[in-house]
Amino acid sequence: MNTRLCRMLGIGFPLLAFSHCRDVVAAVSKAGGFGVFGAASMTPEELETALRWIDAEVDGRPYGVDLLIPENLAIRTEGGAGSATLLAQIPPQHRAFVQDLLRRHGIDPDGPVGDRHRGAPDRPAPYQRESGERLMEVAFRHPIRLIANALGVPPASMLERARTAGIPCAALVGAREHAERQVEAGVDILVAQGGEAGGHCGEVSTMVLLPEVLRVAGSTPVLAAGGIMTGRQMAGCMAMGAAGVWTGSVWLATAEAETSPVFREKMVAARSRDTIRSRGRTGKPARQLRSAWTEAWEGPGSPGMLPMPLQGLVSEPAMARINQAAEGGNAAARGLVSYFVGQGVGLVEGVQSCRGVVQSFMQEFAEALEDMQSLTAE
Amino acid sequence: MNTRLCRMLGIGFPLLAFSHCRDVVAAVSKAGGFGVFGAASMTPEELETALRWIDAEVDGRPYGVDLLIPENLAIRTEGGAGSATLLAQIPPQHRAFVQDLLRRHGIDPDGPVGDRHRGAPDRPAPYQRESGERLMEVAFRHPIRLIANALGVPPASMLERARTAGIPCAALVGAREHAERQVEAGVDILVAQGGEAGGHCGEVSTMVLLPEVLRVAGSTPVLAAGGIMTGRQMAGCMAMGAAGVWTGSVWLATAEAETSPVFREKMVAARSRDTIRSRGRTGKPARQLRSAWTEAWEGPGSPGMLPMPLQGLVSEPAMARINQAAEGGNAAARGLVSYFVGQGVGLVEGVQSCRGVVQSFMQEFAEALEDMQSLTAE
C-alpha cells in the first residue's frame, strides 16, 4: 500500500502497534508494521536508553513515541511520584483499604519489592506537563517518525516540535467532539479509539466512533482503534474509511511483551466480557481485566477512586507487590492480577511472536480483500 | 450479490431491517433490502392484519418476522397484560414512583390515553411462551422468508415450524457462549449484536463480538448488528466475514417509522453518547435514549427495576402518557421521552425515506468496495 498515511509514516502496511515494551516496538517495525513506544511515566533517562536500543534494533525502520500529557489534571505537582507533597494527599482510608486488600490475599503490603517490579527511584509523578516536556526533548533527539498524545489535545509545544521536525503528531479521541477540537488544534493524525479498547477510553464503540470521527476529520487521516486484534478487522475498518489501525491489546499476548506470565495466562483464559471500564487503576476510566482488584474498588466496601494521578500512586505500588507475589506462586495474589486490556482479549487464543502477529494481520487483510472482490463477482 | 445468505433469503443485497412498523418492513423489502417485522407484544389479530397488509404491499418480495420469546423469564403468566394476577405483582412503591415522576413533569398519571397511544385492550402479557406460539401460528400462515427470535435460543417449536416451512430461523446473540448454544440448537442464521445496539443487548462491542461469533459459527452465516447505520459499515462488517447486516436504529429516523415526531427530533439532536444500557424499560438491559425517564430509574431515588415482564407493565402505560403529552406540546414531558435506540443515533443527521436509506447503503457499499480495490493498486 502506498496511501497518504503510509507515506507520512514511511510504511507499506498501516498497522500501528502501541506498546510500553521496547522489544514489541522494534519487532513490529522490523516485521513491516509501525511500533509506537508508550513512554508515559518513564524517566528521561529510561526513555533515552530505550530509544537508543530501538534505534540500533530497527536499523532505520520507522517507529513512533506516545506520551500521555492530559489537558485536564486535577492535581499538578513539581515533585516526583514519591514526593511528600503528593503522597500526603492520599487519604488514610485509601491506604488502609489497599493494605487490607493485600493482606487478605496473603501479600505483605510493606514487604520488599524486587528490582524487576520496582520502578526507578527517581520516577516522576505521572502525567505531569513538566515531565512530559522532558520526555519530548529526549524523543525528538531520536529518528522518530510519529509523536502521539494519548489523552486530550496535545500541548502546543508537542505540535510545534513535531512541525519543526517534519513528523506527524497524532492524538487519541474517544468522542466526535474531541475529534473536532483536535482537528482545530492542528493534529495530523486522529486515532478514533472506541470504548472496547484497553486503557483510557470513552463509551462509544469503535463501530460508531470511527464513522463519526471520519465525518469531522476532513482531510486528516483517521486510524481506527479499540477491539482490533486481527487483519480481517483491519480490513473492515479500512473499508469503513480508516487510513489504518492502532492496536494495543494484541501485543500484550506476545512472547516479547512486558506482561507477566501470570497475566498472559489470564489473557488466554479471558472472555471478551471479562474486562471492565474502571477508574480503579489511574483515576480516569480505563478498561482493564476484571479481577479481585477491580471488584474491590468497584464494590460496596470501596473508599471511592481518587483523581489522577493519586489513584495511580495507590494502585501501582500495590500492583508491583501483587505481580511479584503471583509470580512467586501465591494463588490468592493471582486473583488480584490485572492490567489494561480491551474486550479483544476474548480473541486471544495463545501467545505468539510479534512477527507472527504482523504476518497474520497481513495474510488476513489480503484474504479479506479477496473475499470482498469475489462478493460482487458471485 | 449471490451469496449463500442471499439465496437463503431470496435477496441480492443482505441488508436486513428490523422494525416494529409494517410500513418500514414493506418499504425496505420493496427497495431491495429485507424487512423484518418485530411482532413481539402484538395480539395475533394485530399481526394478522399487519402481515396481510405487508403481503399486499411487497408483491412477492421477501420479508421476515421477529418474535421475542425469552428462554428465561422470571414471571410466567397465562393472563393478559392487564390481568389482575400480573398487575398485583407490581409493588406499590413502583406505582408511586412513576405517578410522582409523571406529575413532576406535568402529566396526569390517571388521565385518559387516546387511541393512538393506547395498545389493544386484549394485549397479552409480553414475552410469554403461549402468546409467542399464537403469533408464530399467524406468521407461518404468511409467505415469510425468515423467522427470528430476539432473545435467547428459539423454542423447539419455532425451529421445527421453520424446518417444516423450509425457511431459515435466525437468533440474536450478544456473547460468544450464546452463539455456541444457538449453533448447537440448530439455528440457521446468527445475528451477532454488539452492546452498542438499541434494545436488548450485551456488553461486548460489535467489533469484537462479530469475529468471536464467526469463530464458533462454523458454516452458519453470521449477520453483524449493533451500531450499523451506513453502507460503509456494512462493507466493513462483510470484510470482517459477516454474511450481511441486521439494522434497527437507522429505520427509526425514517419518514415511514412508527416513532413520534418528538422522538425523531431527539434522534437528530442526539450524540452517540446520549444512549444508556438500562433495565428501566423492560426489566432486562436494553439500550435506549438517555432521558429524564432513564435518569430517574438509574438515579438515587429509584425503587429499583422489576424483572421482565413487570417493568414493562410499569413503563409502557407511562410512556404512552408521556408521548401523548409531549406531542401535545408539554415541554416537560418531552424531557421524559425515550425509546430503544443504539449508539448509532450519533450518526443520524436527518429524517429520510426508507428507500433513500436503502439506496445510500447500496451506494456507500459500492464505494467502499471500490476504495478497497484501489488500496492495493495505489
Side-chain angles (χ1 to χ4, degrees):
Chain A
M1 271 180 263
N2 181 23
T3 63
R4 188 165 144 245
L5 180 90
C6 286
R7 291 190 294 274
M8 281 169 91
L9 299 177
I11 51 176
F13 189 68
L15 167 61
L16 281 78
F18 171 87
S19 176
H20 288 295
C21 173
R22 65 185 195 181
D23 303 73
V24 171
V25 171
V28 169
S29 286
K30 283 162 76 179
F34 187 97
V36 181
F37 189 54
S41 82
M42 290 188 108
T43 65
E45 294 69 32
E46 284 171 330
L47 181 58
E48 175 61 33
T49 306
L51 296 189
R52 247 186 231 168
W53 184 89
I54 291 172
D55 288 340
E57 274 291 306
V58 298
D59 194 22
R61 290 185 196 83
Y63 71 93
V65 166
D66 177 281
L67 301 174
L68 198 159
I69 312 179
E71 281 179 89
N72 308 307
L73 197 62
I75 290 144
R76 299 206 169 274
T77 175
E78 291 289 330
S83 75
T85 352
L86 212 53
L87 294 178
Q89 295 181 61
I90 299 171
Q93 66 267 33
H94 288 78
R95 291 179 192 281
F97 176 77
V98 168
Q99 288 183 338
D100 177 58
L101 185 63
L102 294 192
R103 273 194 206 102
R104 280 191 287 118
H105 288 81
I107 305 166
D108 179 357
D110 305 308
V113 180
D115 278 349
R116 213 163 70 68
H117 294 281
R118 189 174 44 216
D122 57 346
R123 188 171 295 286
Y127 317 128
Q128 299 295 317
R129 181 72 44 106
E130 296 69 23
S131 37
E133 294 286 339
R134 283 192 290 273
L135 291 172
M136 249 194 284
E137 266 168 41
V138 174
F140 280 101
R141 282 203 298 267
H142 292 262
I144 57 171
R145 290 293 298 261
L146 177 78
I147 186 98
N149 193 39
L151 204 65
V153 173
S157 60
M158 187 185 279
L159 286 159
E160 279 158 26
R161 276 176 196 267
R163 210 158 293 138
T164 308
I167 66 156
C169 179
L172 272 73
V173 298
R176 183 210 291 243
E177 305 84 84
H178 302 167
E180 285 168 350
R181 291 178 46 235
Q182 299 277 12
V183 169
E184 207 170 303
V187 157
D188 304 297
I189 296 170
L190 289 169
V191 182
Q193 180 172 277
E196 56 268 70
H200 294 116
C201 64
E203 292 164 85
V204 183
S205 78
T206 305
M207 180 62 69
V208 172
L209 183 67
L210 176 60
E212 274 195 295
V213 169
L214 282 165
R215 285 192 189 169
V216 299
S219 62
T220 309
V222 178
L223 299 172
I228 302 165
M229 313 287 282
T230 71
R232 280 219 170 250
Q233 290 170 300
M234 179 174 171
C237 291
M238 291 182 73
M240 286 190 244
V245 293
W246 174 280
T247 55
S249 299
V250 70
W251 310 104
L252 299 176
T254 59
E256 291 91 338
E258 77 280 21
T259 44
S260 72
V262 171
F263 182 72
R264 269 182 258 183
E265 282 167 31
K266 281 192 154 193
M267 279 188 79
V268 174
R271 303 170 311 160
S272 53
R273 294 198 280 179
D274 293 335
T275 71
I276 183 172
R277 187 171 171 266
S278 166
R279 291 176 49 236
R281 184 87 182 229
T282 73
K284 286 190 189 271
R287 190 170 292 282
Q288 51 207 279
L289 196 67
R290 213 184 275 276
S291 82
W293 174 269
T294 62
E295 272 166 37
W297 281 98
E298 297 285 341
S302 168
M305 283 66 140
L306 297 169
M308 185 184 259
L310 294 184
Q311 184 71 20
L313 296 181
V314 172
S315 67
E316 293 313 320
M319 275 297 163
R321 287 192 165 84
I322 289 166
N323 287 331
Q324 179 174 270
E327 283 175 41
N330 172 341
R334 198 184 164 92
L336 285 166
V337 167
S338 174
Y339 192 58
F340 305 111
V341 72
Q343 291 188 334
V345 72
L347 293 165
V348 171
E349 290 174 351
V351 173
Q352 292 181 73
S353 72
C354 287
R355 172 168 293 274
V357 174
V358 174
Q359 284 172 343
S360 296
F361 262 83
M362 288 177 173
Q363 192 184 328
E364 287 181 11
F365 185 89
E367 284 167 7
L369 271 193
E370 264 176 48
D371 287 357
M372 287 301 271
Q373 278 159 4
S374 65
L375 253 190
T376 40
E378 255 184 282
Chain B
M1 272 179 261
N2 181 23
T3 63
R4 188 165 144 246
L5 180 89
C6 286
R7 290 189 295 275
M8 282 168 91
L9 299 177
I11 49 175
F13 189 69
L15 167 62
L16 280 76
F18 171 87
S19 176
H20 289 295
C21 173
R22 65 185 195 179
D23 304 75
V24 171
V25 171
V28 169
S29 286
K30 283 161 75 177
F34 187 96
V36 182
F37 190 54
S41 84
M42 289 188 111
T43 66
E45 295 69 32
E46 285 172 329
L47 181 57
E48 175 61 33
T49 307
L51 296 189
R52 247 187 232 166
W53 184 89
I54 291 173
D55 289 340
E57 275 290 308
V58 300
D59 194 24
R61 291 186 195 82
Y63 71 94
V65 166
D66 177 279
L67 300 174
L68 198 160
I69 311 179
E71 281 180 88
N72 307 308
L73 197 60
I75 291 145
R76 298 207 169 275
T77 175
E78 292 289 331
S83 75
T85 351
L86 212 53
L87 294 178
Q89 294 181 60
I90 299 171
Q93 66 268 34
H94 288 78
R95 292 178 192 281
F97 177 76
V98 168
Q99 289 182 339
D100 177 57
L101 185 63
L102 294 192
R103 274 195 206 101
R104 280 191 287 116
H105 288 82
I107 304 166
D108 179 356
D110 305 307
V113 180
D115 278 349
R116 214 163 70 68
H117 295 282
R118 188 174 44 216
D122 56 344
R123 187 170 297 286
Y127 318 127
Q128 299 296 318
R129 181 73 46 106
E130 297 71 23
S131 37
E133 294 286 341
R134 285 193 289 274
L135 291 173
M136 248 194 282
E137 267 169 40
V138 175
F140 280 101
R141 284 202 297 266
H142 291 264
I144 57 170
R145 290 294 299 262
L146 177 79
I147 186 94
N149 193 37
L151 205 64
V153 173
S157 60
M158 187 185 279
L159 287 159
E160 280 158 26
R161 277 177 196 265
R163 211 159 292 137
T164 308
I167 66 157
C169 179
L172 272 74
V173 298
R176 183 210 294 243
E177 304 85 84
H178 302 167
E180 285 167 350
R181 290 179 47 237
Q182 299 276 13
V183 169
E184 208 170 304
V187 157
D188 305 295
I189 296 170
L190 289 168
V191 183
Q193 180 171 275
E196 55 268 70
H200 294 116
C201 64
E203 292 165 86
V204 182
S205 78
T206 306
M207 180 63 69
V208 172
L209 183 67
L210 176 60
E212 275 195 295
V213 171
L214 282 165
R215 284 191 189 170
V216 298
S219 62
T220 309
V222 179
L223 298 172
I228 302 166
M229 313 288 280
T230 72
R232 281 219 169 250
Q233 289 170 301
M234 178 175 171
C237 291
M238 291 183 73
M240 285 190 244
V245 293
W246 174 281
T247 54
S249 300
V250 69
W251 311 104
L252 300 175
T254 59
E256 289 91 341
E258 76 281 20
T259 44
S260 71
V262 170
F263 183 72
R264 270 182 256 182
E265 282 167 31
K266 280 193 154 191
M267 279 188 79
V268 174
R271 304 170 312 161
S272 53
R273 293 199 280 178
D274 293 335
T275 72
I276 183 171
R277 187 171 170 266
S278 166
R279 291 174 50 237
R281 184 90 182 227
T282 73
K284 285 191 190 269
R287 191 170 292 282
Q288 49 207 281
L289 196 67
R290 211 183 276 274
S291 82
W293 174 269
T294 62
E295 272 166 37
W297 282 99
E298 297 284 342
S302 169
M305 283 66 140
L306 297 170
M308 187 184 257
L310 295 184
Q311 184 71 19
L313 295 181
V314 171
S315 67
E316 292 313 320
M319 275 296 163
R321 287 193 165 82
I322 289 164
N323 287 330
Q324 179 175 268
E327 284 175 39
N330 173 341
R334 198 185 163 92
L336 285 166
V337 167
S338 175
Y339 193 59
F340 305 111
V341 71
Q343 290 188 336
V345 70
L347 293 165
V348 171
E349 289 175 351
V351 174
Q352 292 181 73
S353 72
C354 287
R355 172 168 293 274
V357 173
V358 174
Q359 285 173 342
S360 296
F361 262 85
M362 288 176 172
Q363 193 183 327
E364 287 180 11
F365 186 90
E367 285 168 6
L369 271 192
E370 264 177 45
D371 287 357
M372 287 301 271
Q373 279 159 4
S374 66
L375 254 189
T376 39
E378 257 184 279

